[in-house]
Amino acid sequence: MSQPVPMITKDGRFAYEAAGDPGAIPLIFLHGIGGAARAWRRQLANFGDRFRAIAWDMPGYGGSAPLASVSIAALAEALQQFIEQLGVSGPVLIGHSIGGMIVQRWLVQFPKLARAVVLAQTSPAFGKADGDWQKSFVAARLGPLERGETMKSLAPSLVKELVGDDPDPNGMELARECMGSVPEASYRAMMLALIGFDQRSTLGNISVPTLLLSGSKDNNAPAPMMAKTATFIPGAEYVELAGVGHLANLERPGAFDGALARFLNSLATKA
């Protein structure tokens, strides 16, 4: 396996981890709200043998500079700036949760630049700011911080409610460590950035090979919703991982990596 190495872009704005031959096809992994670049270390090690495997720290996470104003559109623009800093072309983008939302928004602006995309346990919409479910979702996650909890103290319970059956113990330890180290300001800003996100009308315009990957026990991005989303994307492939919650690459890394490997292999046979 090719072991990931922490790095930083030339302009100093983005921290990331990478493994593999710089000349190989780039895979870029985008983490969720409670994640970090290091949440993808197993994937970087596994796929670094064949690809240039890269995981960024989103703006405001790890060593990446925060944005002055956080929105999904601004994060998509930051992703493009990150790709340009790396100097890579034709990447495969693998976006988990909010990372998948960023990829969807990025595709609107740059529809032909990706070789393929993977939308993992994500949604094409979050809904209106005044919706009861949306208000409840945000309140449940920000309320404890308002009452004096910290990300570190909340991490065990937050991670526990995200996962499905028999999660990998090492993956769960890493998930808690990542969640506990998210800056509170970044967590708040990312939660609020979800409000109003809606790319449902642009799904039909996605023109690159697409895999939608869900977990059967995921309550944040339910499998039936993701299966329906796949029907709106031309030629999209849909895979559901049984017993998996919202953190597939950490809960069941073997199943996640297997699904991703099959998709990447199918791209190679079509090339």
Side-chain angles (χ1 to χ4, degrees), residues 152-192:
K152 187 174 182 178
S153 68
L154 287 171
S157 60
L158 288 174
V159 168
K160 185 177 181 179
E161 70 182 28
L162 290 173
V163 302
D165 302 333
D166 302 317
D168 178 78
N170 291 330
M172 293 304 89
E173 183 179 354
L174 180 54
R176 290 188 291 270
E177 193 275 324
C178 288
M179 182 75 78
S181 64
V182 175
E184 182 179 321
S186 296
Y187 187 79
R188 289 175 178 274
M190 294 295 172
M191 279 292 173
L192 296 176

PDB file of all heavy atoms in Angstrom, residues 152-192:
ATOM      1  N   LYS A 152     -15.532  18.109  21.037  1.00  0.00           N
ATOM      2  CA  LYS A 152     -14.880  16.925  21.604  1.00  0.00           C
ATOM      3  C   LYS A 152     -15.831  16.144  22.508  1.00  0.00           C
ATOM      4  O   LYS A 152     -15.884  14.906  22.472  1.00  0.00           O
ATOM      5  CB  LYS A 152     -13.632  17.333  22.371  1.00  0.00           C
ATOM      6  CG  LYS A 152     -12.804  16.152  22.860  1.00  0.00           C
ATOM      7  CD  LYS A 152     -11.490  16.606  23.481  1.00  0.00           C
ATOM      8  CE  LYS A 152     -10.652  15.394  23.917  1.00  0.00           C
ATOM      9  NZ  LYS A 152      -9.345  15.823  24.485  1.00  0.00           N
ATOM     10  N   SER A 153     -16.603  16.861  23.315  1.00  0.00           N
ATOM     11  CA  SER A 153     -17.520  16.167  24.223  1.00  0.00           C
ATOM     12  C   SER A 153     -18.695  15.556  23.473  1.00  0.00           C
ATOM     13  O   SER A 153     -19.250  14.532  23.897  1.00  0.00           O
ATOM     14  CB  SER A 153     -18.021  17.121  25.314  1.00  0.00           C
ATOM     15  OG  SER A 153     -18.864  18.129  24.782  1.00  0.00           O
ATOM     16  N   LEU A 154     -19.083  16.152  22.347  1.00  0.00           N
ATOM     17  CA  LEU A 154     -20.216  15.663  21.571  1.00  0.00           C
ATOM     18  C   LEU A 154     -19.845  14.538  20.622  1.00  0.00           C
ATOM     19  O   LEU A 154     -20.719  13.770  20.196  1.00  0.00           O
ATOM     20  CB  LEU A 154     -20.817  16.814  20.747  1.00  0.00           C
ATOM     21  CG  LEU A 154     -21.626  17.863  21.506  1.00  0.00           C
ATOM     22  CD1 LEU A 154     -21.957  19.025  20.582  1.00  0.00           C
ATOM     23  CD2 LEU A 154     -22.905  17.248  22.064  1.00  0.00           C
ATOM     24  N   ALA A 155     -18.568  14.451  20.268  1.00  0.00           N
ATOM     25  CA  ALA A 155     -18.150  13.532  19.211  1.00  0.00           C
ATOM     26  C   ALA A 155     -18.639  12.092  19.399  1.00  0.00           C
ATOM     27  O   ALA A 155     -19.172  11.497  18.455  1.00  0.00           O
ATOM     28  CB  ALA A 155     -16.633  13.571  19.046  1.00  0.00           C
ATOM     29  N   PRO A 156     -18.487  11.486  20.590  1.00  0.00           N
ATOM     30  CA  PRO A 156     -18.930  10.095  20.728  1.00  0.00           C
ATOM     31  C   PRO A 156     -20.406   9.890  20.404  1.00  0.00           C
ATOM     32  O   PRO A 156     -20.770   8.935  19.707  1.00  0.00           O
ATOM     33  CB  PRO A 156     -18.621   9.766  22.186  1.00  0.00           C
ATOM     34  CG  PRO A 156     -17.492  10.683  22.545  1.00  0.00           C
ATOM     35  CD  PRO A 156     -17.795  11.961  21.820  1.00  0.00           C
ATOM     36  N   SER A 157     -21.268  10.766  20.904  1.00  0.00           N
ATOM     37  CA  SER A 157     -22.703  10.603  20.655  1.00  0.00           C
ATOM     38  C   SER A 157     -23.057  10.939  19.214  1.00  0.00           C
ATOM     39  O   SER A 157     -23.920  10.281  18.602  1.00  0.00           O
ATOM     40  CB  SER A 157     -23.517  11.482  21.617  1.00  0.00           C
ATOM     41  OG  SER A 157     -23.211  12.847  21.467  1.00  0.00           O
ATOM     42  N   LEU A 158     -22.423  11.955  18.645  1.00  0.00           N
ATOM     43  CA  LEU A 158     -22.702  12.318  17.255  1.00  0.00           C
ATOM     44  C   LEU A 158     -22.341  11.180  16.307  1.00  0.00           C
ATOM     45  O   LEU A 158     -23.098  10.841  15.397  1.00  0.00           O
ATOM     46  CB  LEU A 158     -21.922  13.581  16.863  1.00  0.00           C
ATOM     47  CG  LEU A 158     -22.399  14.900  17.467  1.00  0.00           C
ATOM     48  CD1 LEU A 158     -21.445  16.026  17.106  1.00  0.00           C
ATOM     49  CD2 LEU A 158     -23.809  15.227  16.996  1.00  0.00           C
ATOM     50  N   VAL A 159     -21.189  10.575  16.531  1.00  0.00           N
ATOM     51  CA  VAL A 159     -20.749   9.482  15.663  1.00  0.00           C
ATOM     52  C   VAL A 159     -21.654   8.269  15.858  1.00  0.00           C
ATOM     53  O   VAL A 159     -22.058   7.616  14.880  1.00  0.00           O
ATOM     54  CB  VAL A 159     -19.274   9.128  15.935  1.00  0.00           C
ATOM     55  CG1 VAL A 159     -18.884   7.821  15.254  1.00  0.00           C
ATOM     56  CG2 VAL A 159     -18.360  10.267  15.476  1.00  0.00           C
ATOM     57  N   LYS A 160     -21.986   7.966  17.101  1.00  0.00           N
ATOM     58  CA  LYS A 160     -22.803   6.778  17.383  1.00  0.00           C
ATOM     59  C   LYS A 160     -24.134   6.822  16.651  1.00  0.00           C
ATOM     60  O   LYS A 160     -24.621   5.807  16.136  1.00  0.00           O
ATOM     61  CB  LYS A 160     -23.030   6.643  18.890  1.00  0.00           C
ATOM     62  CG  LYS A 160     -23.768   5.372  19.285  1.00  0.00           C
ATOM     63  CD  LYS A 160     -23.897   5.264  20.799  1.00  0.00           C
ATOM     64  CE  LYS A 160     -24.623   3.965  21.185  1.00  0.00           C
ATOM     65  NZ  LYS A 160     -24.745   3.834  22.657  1.00  0.00           N
ATOM     66  N   GLU A 161     -24.745   8.017  16.583  1.00  0.00           N
ATOM     67  CA  GLU A 161     -26.058   8.102  15.950  1.00  0.00           C
ATOM     68  C   GLU A 161     -25.982   8.080  14.424  1.00  0.00           C
ATOM     69  O   GLU A 161     -26.999   7.935  13.746  1.00  0.00           O
ATOM     70  CB  GLU A 161     -26.800   9.358  16.411  1.00  0.00           C
ATOM     71  CG  GLU A 161     -26.238  10.666  15.893  1.00  0.00           C
ATOM     72  CD  GLU A 161     -26.986  11.875  16.409  1.00  0.00           C
ATOM     73  OE1 GLU A 161     -27.554  11.811  17.518  1.00  0.00           O
ATOM     74  OE2 GLU A 161     -27.018  12.889  15.689  1.00  0.00           O
ATOM     75  N   LEU A 162     -24.767   8.192  13.884  1.00  0.00           N
ATOM     76  CA  LEU A 162     -24.602   8.200  12.433  1.00  0.00           C
ATOM     77  C   LEU A 162     -24.391   6.819  11.836  1.00  0.00           C
ATOM     78  O   LEU A 162     -24.602   6.625  10.635  1.00  0.00           O
ATOM     79  CB  LEU A 162     -23.407   9.093  12.035  1.00  0.00           C
ATOM     80  CG  LEU A 162     -23.571  10.599  12.213  1.00  0.00           C
ATOM     81  CD1 LEU A 162     -22.250  11.304  11.938  1.00  0.00           C
ATOM     82  CD2 LEU A 162     -24.662  11.137  11.281  1.00  0.00           C
ATOM     83  N   VAL A 163     -23.954   5.857  12.651  1.00  0.00           N
ATOM     84  CA  VAL A 163     -23.493   4.586  12.091  1.00  0.00           C
ATOM     85  C   VAL A 163     -24.557   3.497  12.141  1.00  0.00           C
ATOM     86  O   VAL A 163     -25.544   3.588  12.873  1.00  0.00           O
ATOM     87  CB  VAL A 163     -22.202   4.104  12.788  1.00  0.00           C
ATOM     88  CG1 VAL A 163     -21.105   5.155  12.644  1.00  0.00           C
ATOM     89  CG2 VAL A 163     -22.441   3.795  14.258  1.00  0.00           C
ATOM     90  N   GLY A 164     -24.304   2.441  11.355  1.00  0.00           N
ATOM     91  CA  GLY A 164     -25.221   1.326  11.280  1.00  0.00           C
ATOM     92  C   GLY A 164     -24.758   0.139  12.107  1.00  0.00           C
ATOM     93  O   GLY A 164     -24.266   0.288  13.222  1.00  0.00           O
ATOM     94  N   ASP A 165     -24.868  -1.065  11.527  1.00  0.00           N
ATOM     95  CA  ASP A 165     -24.588  -2.299  12.248  1.00  0.00           C
ATOM     96  C   ASP A 165     -23.095  -2.643  12.244  1.00  0.00           C
ATOM     97  O   ASP A 165     -22.435  -2.539  11.212  1.00  0.00           O
ATOM     98  CB  ASP A 165     -25.349  -3.462  11.600  1.00  0.00           C
ATOM     99  CG  ASP A 165     -26.850  -3.226  11.568  1.00  0.00           C
ATOM    100  OD1 ASP A 165     -27.346  -2.490  12.445  1.00  0.00           O
ATOM    101  OD2 ASP A 165     -27.508  -3.776  10.664  1.00  0.00           O
ATOM    102  N   ASP A 166     -22.591  -3.060  13.392  1.00  0.00           N
ATOM    103  CA  ASP A 166     -21.235  -3.610  13.520  1.00  0.00           C
ATOM    104  C   ASP A 166     -20.159  -2.788  12.813  1.00  0.00           C
ATOM    105  O   ASP A 166     -19.428  -3.293  11.957  1.00  0.00           O
ATOM    106  CB  ASP A 166     -21.203  -5.046  12.972  1.00  0.00           C
ATOM    107  CG  ASP A 166     -22.184  -5.950  13.700  1.00  0.00           C
ATOM    108  OD1 ASP A 166     -22.261  -5.863  14.940  1.00  0.00           O
ATOM    109  OD2 ASP A 166     -22.871  -6.731  13.023  1.00  0.00           O
ATOM    110  N   PRO A 167     -20.040  -1.498  13.156  1.00  0.00           N
ATOM    111  CA  PRO A 167     -19.019  -0.687  12.495  1.00  0.00           C
ATOM    112  C   PRO A 167     -17.610  -1.087  12.916  1.00  0.00           C
ATOM    113  O   PRO A 167     -17.402  -1.609  14.018  1.00  0.00           O
ATOM    114  CB  PRO A 167     -19.348   0.733  12.968  1.00  0.00           C
ATOM    115  CG  PRO A 167     -20.020   0.542  14.292  1.00  0.00           C
ATOM    116  CD  PRO A 167     -20.810  -0.728  14.148  1.00  0.00           C
ATOM    117  N   ASP A 168     -16.670  -0.852  12.043  1.00  0.00           N
ATOM    118  CA  ASP A 168     -15.266  -1.170  12.300  1.00  0.00           C
ATOM    119  C   ASP A 168     -14.749  -0.345  13.485  1.00  0.00           C
ATOM    120  O   ASP A 168     -14.838   0.885  13.465  1.00  0.00           O
ATOM    121  CB  ASP A 168     -14.447  -0.845  11.040  1.00  0.00           C
ATOM    122  CG  ASP A 168     -12.973  -1.098  11.227  1.00  0.00           C
ATOM    123  OD1 ASP A 168     -12.564  -2.258  11.172  1.00  0.00           O
ATOM    124  OD2 ASP A 168     -12.234  -0.114  11.437  1.00  0.00           O
ATOM    125  N   PRO A 169     -14.204  -0.967  14.516  1.00  0.00           N
ATOM    126  CA  PRO A 169     -13.752  -0.221  15.705  1.00  0.00           C
ATOM    127  C   PRO A 169     -12.682   0.825  15.388  1.00  0.00           C
ATOM    128  O   PRO A 169     -12.720   1.936  15.932  1.00  0.00           O
ATOM    129  CB  PRO A 169     -13.205  -1.311  16.626  1.00  0.00           C
ATOM    130  CG  PRO A 169     -13.892  -2.567  16.193  1.00  0.00           C
ATOM    131  CD  PRO A 169     -14.071  -2.431  14.714  1.00  0.00           C
ATOM    132  N   ASN A 170     -11.738   0.489  14.541  1.00  0.00           N
ATOM    133  CA  ASN A 170     -10.700   1.460  14.189  1.00  0.00           C
ATOM    134  C   ASN A 170     -11.283   2.642  13.419  1.00  0.00           C
ATOM    135  O   ASN A 170     -10.890   3.797  13.631  1.00  0.00           O
ATOM    136  CB  ASN A 170      -9.605   0.788  13.355  1.00  0.00           C
ATOM    137  CG  ASN A 170      -8.791  -0.204  14.150  1.00  0.00           C
ATOM    138  OD1 ASN A 170      -8.617  -0.050  15.357  1.00  0.00           O
ATOM    139  ND2 ASN A 170      -8.287  -1.239  13.489  1.00  0.00           N
ATOM    140  N   GLY A 171     -12.235   2.348  12.552  1.00  0.00           N
ATOM    141  CA  GLY A 171     -12.897   3.423  11.822  1.00  0.00           C
ATOM    142  C   GLY A 171     -13.678   4.332  12.736  1.00  0.00           C
ATOM    143  O   GLY A 171     -13.697   5.555  12.555  1.00  0.00           O
ATOM    144  N   MET A 172     -14.310   3.753  13.744  1.00  0.00           N
ATOM    145  CA  MET A 172     -15.086   4.563  14.683  1.00  0.00           C
ATOM    146  C   MET A 172     -14.179   5.444  15.544  1.00  0.00           C
ATOM    147  O   MET A 172     -14.513   6.583  15.858  1.00  0.00           O
ATOM    148  CB  MET A 172     -15.950   3.664  15.564  1.00  0.00           C
ATOM    149  CG  MET A 172     -17.062   2.947  14.818  1.00  0.00           C
ATOM    150  SD  MET A 172     -18.169   4.083  13.908  1.00  0.00           S
ATOM    151  CE  MET A 172     -17.350   4.202  12.304  1.00  0.00           C
ATOM    152  N   GLU A 173     -13.028   4.907  15.918  1.00  0.00           N
ATOM    153  CA  GLU A 173     -12.073   5.726  16.672  1.00  0.00           C
ATOM    154  C   GLU A 173     -11.624   6.920  15.851  1.00  0.00           C
ATOM    155  O   GLU A 173     -11.546   8.050  16.351  1.00  0.00           O
ATOM    156  CB  GLU A 173     -10.865   4.869  17.069  1.00  0.00           C
ATOM    157  CG  GLU A 173      -9.848   5.613  17.915  1.00  0.00           C
ATOM    158  CD  GLU A 173      -8.677   4.734  18.327  1.00  0.00           C
ATOM    159  OE1 GLU A 173      -8.700   3.511  18.050  1.00  0.00           O
ATOM    160  OE2 GLU A 173      -7.733   5.284  18.925  1.00  0.00           O
ATOM    161  N   LEU A 174     -11.350   6.689  14.563  1.00  0.00           N
ATOM    162  CA  LEU A 174     -10.944   7.786  13.690  1.00  0.00           C
ATOM    163  C   LEU A 174     -12.091   8.764  13.476  1.00  0.00           C
ATOM    164  O   LEU A 174     -11.886   9.986  13.457  1.00  0.00           O
ATOM    165  CB  LEU A 174     -10.452   7.227  12.354  1.00  0.00           C
ATOM    166  CG  LEU A 174      -9.980   8.239  11.310  1.00  0.00           C
ATOM    167  CD1 LEU A 174      -8.904   9.163  11.879  1.00  0.00           C
ATOM    168  CD2 LEU A 174      -9.470   7.509  10.065  1.00  0.00           C
ATOM    169  N   ALA A 175     -13.318   8.243  13.347  1.00  0.00           N
ATOM    170  CA  ALA A 175     -14.477   9.117  13.170  1.00  0.00           C
ATOM    171  C   ALA A 175     -14.664  10.041  14.365  1.00  0.00           C
ATOM    172  O   ALA A 175     -14.924  11.242  14.212  1.00  0.00           O
ATOM    173  CB  ALA A 175     -15.741   8.278  12.950  1.00  0.00           C
ATOM    174  N   ARG A 176     -14.520   9.489  15.573  1.00  0.00           N
ATOM    175  CA  ARG A 176     -14.662  10.325  16.783  1.00  0.00           C
ATOM    176  C   ARG A 176     -13.541  11.359  16.868  1.00  0.00           C
ATOM    177  O   ARG A 176     -13.778  12.511  17.267  1.00  0.00           O
ATOM    178  CB  ARG A 176     -14.671   9.431  18.027  1.00  0.00           C
ATOM    179  CG  ARG A 176     -15.933   8.585  18.173  1.00  0.00           C
ATOM    180  CD  ARG A 176     -15.973   7.867  19.514  1.00  0.00           C
ATOM    181  NE  ARG A 176     -14.953   6.820  19.615  1.00  0.00           N
ATOM    182  CZ  ARG A 176     -15.133   5.554  19.264  1.00  0.00           C
ATOM    183  NH1 ARG A 176     -16.300   5.156  18.777  1.00  0.00           N
ATOM    184  NH2 ARG A 176     -14.166   4.666  19.413  1.00  0.00           N
ATOM    185  N   GLU A 177     -12.353  10.959  16.487  1.00  0.00           N
ATOM    186  CA  GLU A 177     -11.223  11.890  16.540  1.00  0.00           C
ATOM    187  C   GLU A 177     -11.423  13.037  15.551  1.00  0.00           C
ATOM    188  O   GLU A 177     -11.166  14.206  15.877  1.00  0.00           O
ATOM    189  CB  GLU A 177      -9.930  11.119  16.241  1.00  0.00           C
ATOM    190  CG  GLU A 177      -8.656  11.882  16.570  1.00  0.00           C
ATOM    191  CD  GLU A 177      -8.231  12.798  15.453  1.00  0.00           C
ATOM    192  OE1 GLU A 177      -8.413  12.435  14.283  1.00  0.00           O
ATOM    193  OE2 GLU A 177      -7.713  13.891  15.752  1.00  0.00           O
ATOM    194  N   CYS A 178     -11.888  12.705  14.343  1.00  0.00           N
ATOM    195  CA  CYS A 178     -12.135  13.745  13.338  1.00  0.00           C
ATOM    196  C   CYS A 178     -13.252  14.681  13.802  1.00  0.00           C
ATOM    197  O   CYS A 178     -13.102  15.911  13.759  1.00  0.00           O
ATOM    198  CB  CYS A 178     -12.508  13.113  11.997  1.00  0.00           C
ATOM    199  SG  CYS A 178     -11.152  12.299  11.126  1.00  0.00           S
ATOM    200  N   MET A 179     -14.371  14.105  14.250  1.00  0.00           N
ATOM    201  CA  MET A 179     -15.496  14.919  14.692  1.00  0.00           C
ATOM    202  C   MET A 179     -15.093  15.819  15.863  1.00  0.00           C
ATOM    203  O   MET A 179     -15.446  17.006  15.897  1.00  0.00           O
ATOM    204  CB  MET A 179     -16.658  14.018  15.114  1.00  0.00           C
ATOM    205  CG  MET A 179     -17.917  14.747  15.551  1.00  0.00           C
ATOM    206  SD  MET A 179     -18.874  15.453  14.196  1.00  0.00           S
ATOM    207  CE  MET A 179     -19.703  13.978  13.565  1.00  0.00           C
ATOM    208  N   GLY A 180     -14.351  15.268  16.798  1.00  0.00           N
ATOM    209  CA  GLY A 180     -13.963  16.036  17.976  1.00  0.00           C
ATOM    210  C   GLY A 180     -12.995  17.166  17.696  1.00  0.00           C
ATOM    211  O   GLY A 180     -12.875  18.092  18.495  1.00  0.00           O
ATOM    212  N   SER A 181     -12.317  17.110  16.560  1.00  0.00           N
ATOM    213  CA  SER A 181     -11.326  18.132  16.242  1.00  0.00           C
ATOM    214  C   SER A 181     -11.845  19.185  15.259  1.00  0.00           C
ATOM    215  O   SER A 181     -11.115  20.114  14.903  1.00  0.00           O
ATOM    216  CB  SER A 181     -10.063  17.484  15.664  1.00  0.00           C
ATOM    217  OG  SER A 181     -10.334  16.850  14.430  1.00  0.00           O
ATOM    218  N   VAL A 182     -13.107  19.064  14.836  1.00  0.00           N
ATOM    219  CA  VAL A 182     -13.679  20.079  13.945  1.00  0.00           C
ATOM    220  C   VAL A 182     -13.827  21.393  14.709  1.00  0.00           C
ATOM    221  O   VAL A 182     -14.426  21.413  15.788  1.00  0.00           O
ATOM    222  CB  VAL A 182     -15.060  19.634  13.410  1.00  0.00           C
ATOM    223  CG1 VAL A 182     -15.693  20.752  12.584  1.00  0.00           C
ATOM    224  CG2 VAL A 182     -14.942  18.366  12.586  1.00  0.00           C
ATOM    225  N   PRO A 183     -13.297  22.494  14.198  1.00  0.00           N
ATOM    226  CA  PRO A 183     -13.504  23.773  14.870  1.00  0.00           C
ATOM    227  C   PRO A 183     -14.996  24.095  14.971  1.00  0.00           C
ATOM    228  O   PRO A 183     -15.735  23.906  13.995  1.00  0.00           O
ATOM    229  CB  PRO A 183     -12.785  24.778  13.955  1.00  0.00           C
ATOM    230  CG  PRO A 183     -11.772  23.960  13.219  1.00  0.00           C
ATOM    231  CD  PRO A 183     -12.430  22.631  13.012  1.00  0.00           C
ATOM    232  N   GLU A 184     -15.418  24.558  16.135  1.00  0.00           N
ATOM    233  CA  GLU A 184     -16.846  24.825  16.328  1.00  0.00           C
ATOM    234  C   GLU A 184     -17.372  25.810  15.292  1.00  0.00           C
ATOM    235  O   GLU A 184     -18.478  25.638  14.765  1.00  0.00           O
ATOM    236  CB  GLU A 184     -17.094  25.363  17.732  1.00  0.00           C
ATOM    237  CG  GLU A 184     -18.563  25.615  18.030  1.00  0.00           C
ATOM    238  CD  GLU A 184     -18.825  26.121  19.430  1.00  0.00           C
ATOM    239  OE1 GLU A 184     -18.155  25.637  20.377  1.00  0.00           O
ATOM    240  OE2 GLU A 184     -19.693  26.995  19.587  1.00  0.00           O
ATOM    241  N   ALA A 185     -16.589  26.832  14.978  1.00  0.00           N
ATOM    242  CA  ALA A 185     -17.031  27.833  14.002  1.00  0.00           C
ATOM    243  C   ALA A 185     -17.260  27.200  12.633  1.00  0.00           C
ATOM    244  O   ALA A 185     -18.217  27.545  11.925  1.00  0.00           O
ATOM    245  CB  ALA A 185     -16.015  28.958  13.903  1.00  0.00           C
ATOM    246  N   SER A 186     -16.398  26.262  12.256  1.00  0.00           N
ATOM    247  CA  SER A 186     -16.548  25.593  10.960  1.00  0.00           C
ATOM    248  C   SER A 186     -17.777  24.698  10.961  1.00  0.00           C
ATOM    249  O   SER A 186     -18.537  24.650   9.979  1.00  0.00           O
ATOM    250  CB  SER A 186     -15.293  24.768  10.644  1.00  0.00           C
ATOM    251  OG  SER A 186     -14.166  25.607  10.510  1.00  0.00           O
ATOM    252  N   TYR A 187     -17.998  23.976  12.048  1.00  0.00           N
ATOM    253  CA  TYR A 187     -19.163  23.092  12.160  1.00  0.00           C
ATOM    254  C   TYR A 187     -20.452  23.898  12.035  1.00  0.00           C
ATOM    255  O   TYR A 187     -21.369  23.533  11.288  1.00  0.00           O
ATOM    256  CB  TYR A 187     -19.103  22.362  13.497  1.00  0.00           C
ATOM    257  CG  TYR A 187     -20.138  21.289  13.688  1.00  0.00           C
ATOM    258  CD1 TYR A 187     -19.986  20.038  13.102  1.00  0.00           C
ATOM    259  CD2 TYR A 187     -21.261  21.502  14.490  1.00  0.00           C
ATOM    260  CE1 TYR A 187     -20.932  19.028  13.295  1.00  0.00           C
ATOM    261  CE2 TYR A 187     -22.205  20.507  14.690  1.00  0.00           C
ATOM    262  CZ  TYR A 187     -22.028  19.271  14.090  1.00  0.00           C
ATOM    263  OH  TYR A 187     -22.963  18.281  14.291  1.00  0.00           O
ATOM    264  N   ARG A 188     -20.514  25.017  12.740  1.00  0.00           N
ATOM    265  CA  ARG A 188     -21.698  25.869  12.676  1.00  0.00           C
ATOM    266  C   ARG A 188     -21.915  26.395  11.256  1.00  0.00           C
ATOM    267  O   ARG A 188     -23.033  26.353  10.719  1.00  0.00           O
ATOM    268  CB  ARG A 188     -21.556  27.054  13.633  1.00  0.00           C
ATOM    269  CG  ARG A 188     -21.656  26.712  15.114  1.00  0.00           C
ATOM    270  CD  ARG A 188     -21.382  27.963  15.943  1.00  0.00           C
ATOM    271  NE  ARG A 188     -21.502  27.731  17.366  1.00  0.00           N
ATOM    272  CZ  ARG A 188     -22.642  27.797  18.057  1.00  0.00           C
ATOM    273  NH1 ARG A 188     -23.767  28.101  17.431  1.00  0.00           N
ATOM    274  NH2 ARG A 188     -22.654  27.582  19.355  1.00  0.00           N
ATOM    275  N   ALA A 189     -20.839  26.887  10.656  1.00  0.00           N
ATOM    276  CA  ALA A 189     -20.947  27.485   9.320  1.00  0.00           C
ATOM    277  C   ALA A 189     -21.385  26.455   8.285  1.00  0.00           C
ATOM    278  O   ALA A 189     -22.207  26.746   7.404  1.00  0.00           O
ATOM    279  CB  ALA A 189     -19.609  28.106   8.918  1.00  0.00           C
ATOM    280  N   MET A 190     -20.845  25.236   8.387  1.00  0.00           N
ATOM    281  CA  MET A 190     -21.214  24.196   7.426  1.00  0.00           C
ATOM    282  C   MET A 190     -22.665  23.771   7.607  1.00  0.00           C
ATOM    283  O   MET A 190     -23.383  23.519   6.631  1.00  0.00           O
ATOM    284  CB  MET A 190     -20.283  22.991   7.568  1.00  0.00           C
ATOM    285  CG  MET A 190     -18.842  23.261   7.183  1.00  0.00           C
ATOM    286  SD  MET A 190     -18.650  23.659   5.437  1.00  0.00           S
ATOM    287  CE  MET A 190     -16.916  24.151   5.439  1.00  0.00           C
ATOM    288  N   MET A 191     -23.122  23.652   8.835  1.00  0.00           N
ATOM    289  CA  MET A 191     -24.516  23.305   9.087  1.00  0.00           C
ATOM    290  C   MET A 191     -25.453  24.347   8.467  1.00  0.00           C
ATOM    291  O   MET A 191     -26.440  24.013   7.799  1.00  0.00           O
ATOM    292  CB  MET A 191     -24.784  23.208  10.588  1.00  0.00           C
ATOM    293  CG  MET A 191     -24.358  21.901  11.213  1.00  0.00           C
ATOM    294  SD  MET A 191     -25.388  20.552  10.620  1.00  0.00           S
ATOM    295  CE  MET A 191     -24.516  19.163  11.342  1.00  0.00           C
ATOM    296  N   LEU A 192     -25.133  25.603   8.661  1.00  0.00           N
ATOM    297  CA  LEU A 192     -25.981  26.669   8.130  1.00  0.00           C
ATOM    298  C   LEU A 192     -25.896  26.751   6.612  1.00  0.00           C
ATOM    299  O   LEU A 192     -26.851  27.171   5.946  1.00  0.00           O
ATOM    300  CB  LEU A 192     -25.588  28.005   8.765  1.00  0.00           C
ATOM    301  CG  LEU A 192     -25.822  28.088  10.283  1.00  0.00           C
ATOM    302  CD1 LEU A 192     -25.324  29.413  10.840  1.00  0.00           C
ATOM    303  CD2 LEU A 192     -27.301  27.884  10.625  1.00  0.00           C
TER     304      LEU A 192
END
